[in-house]
Amino acid sequence: MGQEVRIRVSKRKDRGVKVVYDVLATDQLSALLCTGEGRYFQRLHRSMFGFLARLSVFVKRRKSKKTHSQTETIPTKPLQPESKGPFGSLFALIIGIDAYEAPEITPLLGAVADAREMECYLTAKLRVPRMNIQTLLDGQATRSNIIKGIQELTDNPSITRNDPILIFYAGHGTEAPSPKGWEAEQSKIEMIVPQDYRATKDGKRVGCIPDRTIGILLQQLANAKGNNITVILDCCHSGSGTRDGFRRVRSVEANEDIPDDLDIEIWGTSEGKRAKIPAEFKYHGSASHVLLAACASNQSAMENNCRGVFTQALLDTITTLGVENLTYASLIKHLPDLPGQSPRCEGKNRDRHWFTTRVSRNEPFYEVKKGSEGYVLDAGSVHSITERSEFSLYKEPSIMSTHLGKVTARSVGPLTSIVELSPGSSPDLPSPAFAIQTVFGTAKALRIHLSDDPKLKSLRDRLQHEAESNPHLYALTNHEDAKLHIGIHEDTVTFAFENSLIRTLGLDRIPFRVRLEEEVAIIKIVEAASLFIRYLNHHPTYLDVDDHIAEQGSKEPVSVYYRKLERRGRNKWGEEAHENGNLNKNYQVDVVGGLTRYGLKITNNSEEDLYPYLLLFNCNDLSITSYYAPPTVKHIDKDASLQKGGSITVGYGDGGGQPWRHVVAPAKGTSKDRIVRDEEDLQVEFFKLILSTKPVDLSFMEQRSPFDQSARDDTKLPEPVEMWNTALLTVVVRKENASR
């Protein structure tokens, strides 16, 4: 027999039966509640004996002859083996801290409740086995236990590569000056506060856990288990530590210096790749995980009525819409407005669906709202929108939702456009409606020339047919006007750019050949080349950022330093000490391929706060890769990635991302293979830096190489002037001993 729980039952008209539990919260009770049906509300109260849970559970009406009020004893059943749901392979570390050991730290009221709620969501809604979840509450959430909890995920043999992993933290956060040698934006690092912070153990005072340590642990976890990792932080780092009745701020003030060798046993021992060492939890370039944060670094994460405002909104949203229907980035747009908080989503893989490696990208939905001048599309020329571009309208950001009609771009601005409804469209659009682009308007198509070889007749006919169906992508033309030439070598198709800049740099043709009969693959390569050239040549045609800030002085508004990196410790990188260390000479970098690691630093010399987006265009394989992106946010805030007078680093320091190498790839494949890579002496790449005065999502520009056949892990503020601009940094990688 299981433990008996006494329950008071009272019948209520039209609402079913209200069951009120009045017992101490135990693990067994938690299991009972999480596996039961219905809607529950939980509030925790502290007593000298522990936490007393008062829970109200509404259950479905059952036919009964019971009197209006009576009491019965219901025996609980022994716990049965749990059946796995679709997320049965998910593993989680859940941390919630209300009561801190140091008496001067303001206790919280809802962090433990948030952790319990997250645990219940996983087990009851997603049917995650309880054995896959480790929960650390209050006294369990010590510094050593939190670090150990992450390390145990790394070492857990039950977790296979790319199994979903969730790390949730609710509690206090803080910030402190960056220790000597720790490169950080705004000279600050951010930290989470363990339960035993400021306690003395083994003669030493327990400190916080800095972002550097967390970044290294996450990189080690990703190296071992894959990058299907979700991190949720419901804390802030303003250091205010304020309280107002049941409204409290989840931050404390750190009043001690951080030693520069803190946790060196973690970040100084791992071999191989350098892990992320980001400050302020800004993992803009991180591929190891996706971060969902409660607010910007200059805002406060609030509690209200014994719950975290952010966690409650997040759970309500994913419960209502379903995680299977959301990407991490789209969740931010669906969250309700949280006064004083602007939740954000960061990380290279934010376009993935929740807890999967499945990507939803390259077909972005834009919001359409009613404005003073008509309907306003939340996309402009920076998104490659042109006049007469057409869009299909939907009620939700899904083509499976209700179709509302079409709109056409009438006036295109830097970041937004005025659109007009097409005949037959619904006259009363919801606010917002969602638009997906169907016609590229006045954008120029890629002009292609095919060799006159008779072997190409079938391909020419197919390309002509596809060009008539997609006139905005490419068109066949003569050799003189072409930007891409398709030829033939034996029984393989070759591709050559007719771009004067690329050819001047020494790349005469793309070093790949495709077998003649692989027409579907060739069509995909032509489509990828069209988008590659379009986005590479994309630039503003109006008064841009440079023009706007030129009046502020003659100093270059944004400077880019391209650096060789050297090891400073076994897992730490920094700029190589050299008198002329900047490899950027008039926006061109010329290097020899090899083992040398590189990174870059972007400095904002202007008086405008800017949001950078950095993409690498590889002309050898037509891939477009994001190296740095601003976070996805609900509302514009003052937490710009590249603040005036500030700088960011990419590949080292706190900007996120790893240092990179430049390599000239060897030949690969034989004449029998579908795709052959030829020997090459150099590689031409372009770093395209796109700057705007508001955060923009340009992830739709990213693309894999079409030659790659392998699978991949892969408070209202004043309105700023809407602007954007680009800078192009050329990188030429030469084979060792190759002539210039």
Side-chain angles (χ1 to χ4, degrees):
M1 289 290 292
Q3 175 187 357
E4 291 188 345
V5 181
R6 183 159 301 272
I7 304 173
R8 297 196 305 272
V9 181
S10 59
K11 185 177 294 186
R12 296 179 57 176
K13 294 181 179 180
D14 303 324
R15 298 277 310 266
V17 178
K18 181 180 181 182
V19 184
V20 181
Y21 296 82
D22 236 351
V23 297
L24 272 179
T26 65
D27 288 340
Q28 188 172 6
L29 176 61
S30 176
L32 173 67
L33 294 173
C34 288
T35 55
E37 293 184 359
R39 183 182 181 190
Y40 61 87
F41 302 87
Q42 179 173 324
R43 178 174 296 179
L44 298 177
H45 296 275
R46 188 177 305 280
S47 72
M48 60 183 296
F49 302 107
F51 288 103
L52 183 67
R54 301 179 56 86
L55 304 105
S56 299
V57 181
F58 292 90
V59 299
K60 295 179 180 179
R61 181 193 302 272
R62 294 182 179 178
K63 293 182 178 180
S64 176
K65 296 181 180 180
K66 300 186 184 300
T67 59
H68 176 71
S69 178
Q70 69 183 78
T71 300
E72 62 177 334
T73 299
I74 302 177
T76 61
K77 295 181 180 180
L79 294 177
Q80 301 296 320
E82 297 170 289
S83 60
K84 288 188 177 182
F87 296 99
S89 61
L90 187 150
F91 289 78
L93 173 63
I94 298 176
I95 305 162
I97 310 173
D98 281 339
Y100 284 82
E101 189 169 334
E104 66 271 20
I105 297 180
T106 303
L108 298 172
L109 300 175
V112 170
D114 285 348
R116 289 284 193 193
E117 187 92 351
M118 182 62 70
E119 181 182 21
C120 287
Y121 173 79
L122 295 179
T123 55
K125 198 72 177 179
L126 301 188
R127 294 171 58 199
V128 176
R130 188 169 303 282
M131 63 184 297
N132 289 10
I133 303 173
Q134 181 182 11
T135 303
L136 303 176
L137 304 178
D138 282 343
Q140 301 168 326
T142 62
R143 190 181 199 277
S144 61
N145 281 351
I146 293 173
I147 292 175
K148 181 181 177 182
I150 302 176
Q151 291 173 328
E152 287 178 346
L153 291 171
T154 304
D155 299 332
N156 189 341
S158 298
I159 305 177
T160 60
R161 191 161 188 85
N162 286 328
D163 279 347
I165 298 172
L166 169 66
I167 299 175
F168 173 85
Y169 174 82
H172 279 307
T174 190
E175 66 178 7
S178 176
K180 184 178 180 180
W182 291 27
E183 300 212 32
E185 295 176 23
Q186 314 306 321
S187 299
K188 295 283 188 178
I189 61 170
E190 294 192 348
M191 304 177 285
I192 62 173
V193 182
Q195 191 272 344
D196 56 348
Y197 172 52
R198 296 178 183 170
T200 300
K201 295 185 177 181
D202 299 326
K204 295 183 179 180
R205 194 176 187 183
V206 177
C208 296
I209 306 177
D211 41 31
R212 166 179 284 197
T213 300
I214 296 172
I216 295 291
L217 292 171
L218 291 174
Q219 182 62 57
Q220 292 170 349
L221 177 59
N223 288 343
K225 303 300 182 181
N227 60 8
N228 189 7
I229 303 171
T230 307
V231 180
I232 302 175
L233 300 177
D234 196 346
C235 62
C236 59
H237 309 275
S238 64
S240 59
T242 58
R243 59 191 293 178
D244 178 18
F246 288 105
R247 287 182 59 84
R248 302 197 177 186
V249 176
R250 291 182 172 178
S251 69
V252 298
E253 185 174 353
N255 54 8
E256 66 274 339
D257 294 333
I258 309 300
D260 57 9
D261 61 349
L262 179 64
D263 296 326
I264 191 173
E265 69 279 5
I266 295 175
W267 52 262
T269 58
S270 178
E271 295 285 357
K273 295 181 179 179
R274 168 196 175 272
K276 312 294 182 288
I277 307 178
E280 305 179 1
F281 294 112
K282 290 185 177 179
Y283 306 108
H284 303 296
S286 174
S288 65
H289 63 283
V290 174
L291 170 69
L292 293 165
C295 58
S297 61
N298 58 357
Q299 295 176 326
S300 297
M302 300 298 299
E303 287 189 344
N304 193 26
N305 295 325
C306 301
R307 287 295 309 278
V309 172
F310 171 63
T311 297
Q312 189 168 26
L314 183 148
L315 285 173
D316 287 347
T317 302
I318 61 178
T319 299
T320 301
L321 300 179
V323 290
E324 66 277 7
N325 301 317
L326 291 168
T327 66
Y328 294 102
S330 68
L331 167 82
I332 298 299
K333 301 300 183 181
H334 285 287
L335 286 175
D337 290 341
L338 307 181
Q341 292 182 226
S342 180
R344 50 231 297 111
C345 174
E346 306 178 7
K348 186 175 181 178
N349 298 315
R350 56 187 168 181
D351 290 303
R352 286 180 177 176
H353 286 258
W354 275 69
F355 304 135
T356 74
T357 57
R358 182 163 57 94
V359 177
S360 176
R361 195 165 51 201
N362 296 328
E363 290 187 359
F365 280 89
Y366 304 114
E367 291 187 356
V368 176
K369 297 180 179 179
K370 184 78 172 185
S372 59
E373 299 182 38
Y375 287 105
V376 180
L377 179 79
D378 190 28
S381 60
V382 69
H383 302 88
S384 201
I385 306 300
T386 60
E387 291 184 3
R388 298 199 296 276
S389 292
E390 296 180 9
F391 305 81
S392 286
L393 287 174
Y394 295 90
K395 186 176 181 180
E396 299 290 340
S398 168
I399 60 174
M400 304 303 292
S401 66
T402 305
H403 184 252
L404 304 175
K406 296 181 179 181
V407 292
T408 302
R410 173 168 53 86
S411 175
V412 179
L415 307 180
T416 59
S417 302
I418 304 299
V419 295
E420 55 189 15
L421 288 171
S422 300
S425 300
S426 174
D428 298 316
L429 296 182
S431 184
F434 297 89
I436 186 170
Q437 190 169 9
T438 54
V439 176
F440 279 76
T442 58
K444 293 182 178 180
L446 175 66
R447 297 188 295 277
I448 302 171
H449 174 257
L450 266 73
S451 169
D452 293 332
D453 194 298
K455 291 182 179 180
L456 293 176
K457 182 181 184 307
S458 176
L459 178 60
R460 180 181 293 104
D461 292 342
R462 184 159 185 170
L463 278 172
Q464 184 64 50
H465 175 74
E466 295 290 339
E468 291 170 358
S469 302
N470 300 284
H472 57 280
L473 278 179
Y474 53 86
L476 301 184
T477 187
N478 55 53
H479 190 278
E480 290 74 20
D481 295 333
K483 294 297 182 182
L484 181 71
H485 175 75
I486 298 177
I488 189 166
H489 175 73
E490 296 177 347
D491 289 327
T492 58
V493 173
T494 62
F495 308 86
F497 284 119
E498 297 298 333
N499 180 293
S500 58
L501 174 59
I502 296 175
R503 294 181 69 90
T504 299
L505 294 171
L507 186 64
D508 294 327
R509 70 177 184 88
I510 298 174
F512 288 90
R513 290 178 287 120
V514 183
R515 290 185 64 83
L516 184 59
E517 63 269 21
E518 299 290 340
E519 293 187 357
V520 174
I522 295 170
I523 295 297
K524 291 182 178 180
I525 292 168
V526 172
E527 291 176 351
S530 173
L531 295 175
F532 186 92
I533 294 297
R534 172 175 295 168
Y535 296 143
L536 179 62
N537 293 332
H538 184 45
H539 63 277
T541 58
Y542 57 88
L543 182 68
D544 56 31
V545 176
D546 283 347
D547 295 329
H548 176 75
I549 62 182
E551 303 172 0
Q552 301 166 4
S554 58
K555 192 174 184 179
E556 190 177 26
V558 175
S559 54
V560 179
Y561 295 84
Y562 204 87
R563 304 280 194 177
K564 288 184 180 180
L565 301 180
E566 62 180 2
R567 286 190 182 274
R568 296 178 179 175
R570 300 180 67 184
N571 223 8
K572 181 181 177 185
W573 295 84
E575 298 174 357
E576 187 177 70
H578 196 280
E579 184 177 354
N580 298 313
N582 188 9
L583 301 177
N584 176 12
K585 308 300 181 183
N586 297 319
Y587 281 88
Q588 181 169 324
V589 175
D590 202 317
V591 298
V592 174
L595 298 178
T596 303
R597 304 278 179 163
Y598 298 89
L600 58 81
K601 185 176 185 178
I602 306 169
T603 301
N604 183 0
N605 304 313
S606 76
E607 295 298 321
E608 299 285 343
D609 290 338
L610 300 172
Y611 295 85
Y613 210 112
L614 184 66
L615 296 164
L616 179 68
F617 289 72
N618 187 323
C619 298
N620 289 52
D621 66 8
L622 301 181
S623 63
I624 307 174
T625 307
S626 171
Y627 271 59
Y628 191 96
T632 300
V633 297
K634 177 72 173 179
H635 298 294
I636 305 300
D637 53 55
K638 290 185 178 180
D639 195 30
S641 309
L642 187 56
Q643 297 186 6
K644 55 186 178 184
S647 62
I648 57 172
T649 57
V650 183
Y652 68 104
D654 66 1
Q658 300 184 42
W660 55 85
R661 295 187 297 142
H662 292 295
V663 178
V664 178
K668 182 179 180 181
T670 68
S671 58
K672 296 181 180 181
D673 293 322
R674 294 175 60 245
I675 298 178
V676 178
R677 182 163 197 157
D678 293 326
E679 184 76 18
E680 54 191 278
D681 290 329
L682 85 165
Q683 184 163 291
V684 175
E685 302 167 335
F686 295 99
F687 273 107
K688 190 178 185 73
L689 176 61
I690 302 173
L691 302 166
S692 63
T693 52
K694 291 182 179 179
V696 294
D697 181 6
L698 303 179
S699 60
F700 66 90
M701 290 188 181
E702 299 176 49
Q703 68 179 27
R704 289 180 55 182
S705 168
F707 304 103
D708 184 5
Q709 304 174 73
S710 61
R712 260 188 205 180
D713 276 348
D714 235 297
T715 342
K716 183 177 181 180
L717 302 175
E719 289 291 323
V721 177
E722 290 191 352
M723 300 176 293
W724 71 279
N725 200 4
T726 73
L728 206 61
L729 176 64
T730 306
V731 181
V732 179
V733 187
R734 304 185 186 278
K735 192 174 182 179
E736 192 172 6
N737 300 323
S739 59
R740 290 178 177 255

